[in-house]
Amino acid sequence: MKLQIKEFAELTGVSVRTLHYYDEIGLLKPSFVDEQNGYRFYDEGSLERMQEILFYRELDFFLKSIAEILASPNYDKQKALAEQKRLLTLKKDRLTRLIAALEQAEKGEITMGAFDNSEYETARQQYEDEAKQRWGGTDAYKESQVKTADYSKEKWNDVLAGLNGVFAEFAECKNCGNSADSETAQRLVKKLQDYITANFYHCTDDILAGLGQMYICDERFKNNIDSHGEGTAEFVSEAIKMYCKK
């Protein structure tokens, strides 16, 4: 099997742009790149890797977490599949309960228990934490673990609120008509970089550039940032790109 990037994108339901980003961050690289024309090709091994990525995405894992897990030399695919199956079964059971609740609602009956998703969310978070501890090994991840180890729930809320505050400033900057390479936007990029370094891990320009791409390619990040205004994630990503080119 030898598929060009467009064919592979159509087969997997993932955009060409996303595949380019996966290549950049090392999450999914082409099996072969033609040196003469730069065309990227994918094979059966690529499909297997993509399936693993998509399973994690169905479980709401961040791309960064998926990359850390799959990059580990200790990664155990069979154990991962077994745990993914358990979590997806919990997800399926909840959907079954919701469908039953809808049927009851059609009869005029009220059922609230079906909306409880705590069992799945708790199990998913436990698995993500355990997977990172078992397989995650990047320096940034290790530094983040040390730096945030003593964070209380209140501290986490404050840190995340501060991060969202920076994104809100980006939204305001964009709404005021500033371009991504404007002085105001570039100051905000530096503020974001410093904030990440102070609260999570040392955010180098290379890491920052990767985050800029992740903010538009990872739906969870994109949706969160765009909650401050449609197009904010794209604006932040472009501003970071301009900053890292300097």
Side-chain angles (χ1 to χ4, degrees):
M1 176 186 291
K2 189 177 180 182
L3 300 173
Q4 290 189 16
I5 190 168
K6 185 176 180 181
E7 297 172 315
F8 189 76
E10 292 174 351
L11 180 62
T12 59
V14 176
S15 70
V16 170
R17 179 180 185 179
T18 296
L19 289 174
H20 279 294
Y21 176 57
Y22 285 4
D23 183 11
E24 287 178 21
I25 65 175
L27 183 57
L28 176 67
K29 289 189 169 295
S31 59
F32 169 74
V33 178
D34 191 316
E35 294 183 359
Q36 293 185 340
N37 53 35
Y39 289 172
R40 308 175 192 214
F41 294 90
Y42 297 82
D43 58 14
E44 290 184 6
S46 307
L47 278 176
E48 183 178 347
R49 173 83 168 189
M50 177 57 79
Q51 184 184 57
E52 292 179 273
I53 294 168
L54 293 177
F55 277 139
Y56 279 114
R57 280 182 51 179
E58 284 295 324
L59 294 170
D60 305 314
F61 275 53
F62 287 117
L63 292 180
K64 180 183 175 184
S65 296
I66 299 173
E68 289 173 349
I69 292 169
L70 295 182
S72 171
N74 299 318
Y75 178 66
D76 188 324
K77 181 180 177 181
Q78 291 306 313
K79 286 184 179 179
L81 289 173
E83 191 59 27
Q84 289 165 350
K85 181 180 178 181
R86 183 177 77 87
L87 290 172
L88 287 173
T89 299
L90 288 174
K91 206 170 186 180
K92 181 193 73 172
D93 291 344
R94 180 171 183 260
L95 288 175
T96 300
R97 294 195 302 272
L98 285 170
I99 292 171
L102 280 170
E103 292 172 348
Q104 294 297 317
E106 288 176 336
K107 300 174 184 178
E109 301 178 15
I110 299 176
T111 305
M112 299 303 297
F115 296 99
D116 182 7
N117 197 32
S118 59
E119 183 179 10
Y120 166 75
E121 285 296 336
T122 299
R124 190 202 66 78
Q125 189 60 56
Q126 287 177 344
Y127 174 56
E128 183 169 359
D129 292 343
E130 290 170 3
K132 284 182 178 181
Q133 290 172 8
R134 186 184 304 135
W135 299 315
T138 65
D139 291 339
Y141 174 73
K142 291 175 181 177
E143 183 182 351
S144 177
Q145 286 293 94
V146 172
K147 186 168 287 188
T148 62
D150 296 328
Y151 281 10
S152 64
K153 182 177 180 180
E154 291 73 19
K155 173 65 174 177
W156 268 114
N157 288 339
D158 289 343
V159 168
L160 295 178
L163 185 60
N164 276 316
V166 178
F167 291 134
E169 290 185 62
F170 272 107
E172 183 178 357
C173 177
K174 172 180 173 294
N175 292 337
C176 289
N178 292 292
S179 63
D181 62 350
S182 67
E183 184 179 348
T184 303
Q186 292 302 292
R187 280 203 305 266
L188 284 173
V189 174
K190 182 63 167 63
K191 182 176 182 177
L192 174 64
Q193 185 179 35
D194 290 345
Y195 192 87
I196 293 171
T197 295
N199 292 282
F200 299 101
Y201 48 80
H202 180 56
C203 186
T204 64
D205 285 356
D206 286 341
I207 291 176
L208 183 64
L211 289 174
Q213 286 296 306
M214 184 169 65
Y215 289 160
I216 55 175
C217 291
D218 189 314
E219 287 300 313
R220 290 178 67 185
F221 277 106
K222 185 177 185 298
N223 291 338
N224 177 63
I225 297 172
D226 277 351
S227 67
H228 300 286
E230 189 68 27
T232 303
E234 283 279 359
F235 183 76
V236 174
S237 180
E238 185 63 22
I240 290 174
K241 182 178 178 181
M242 297 291 185
Y243 179 89
C244 292
K245 280 184 176 180
K246 296 178 180 179

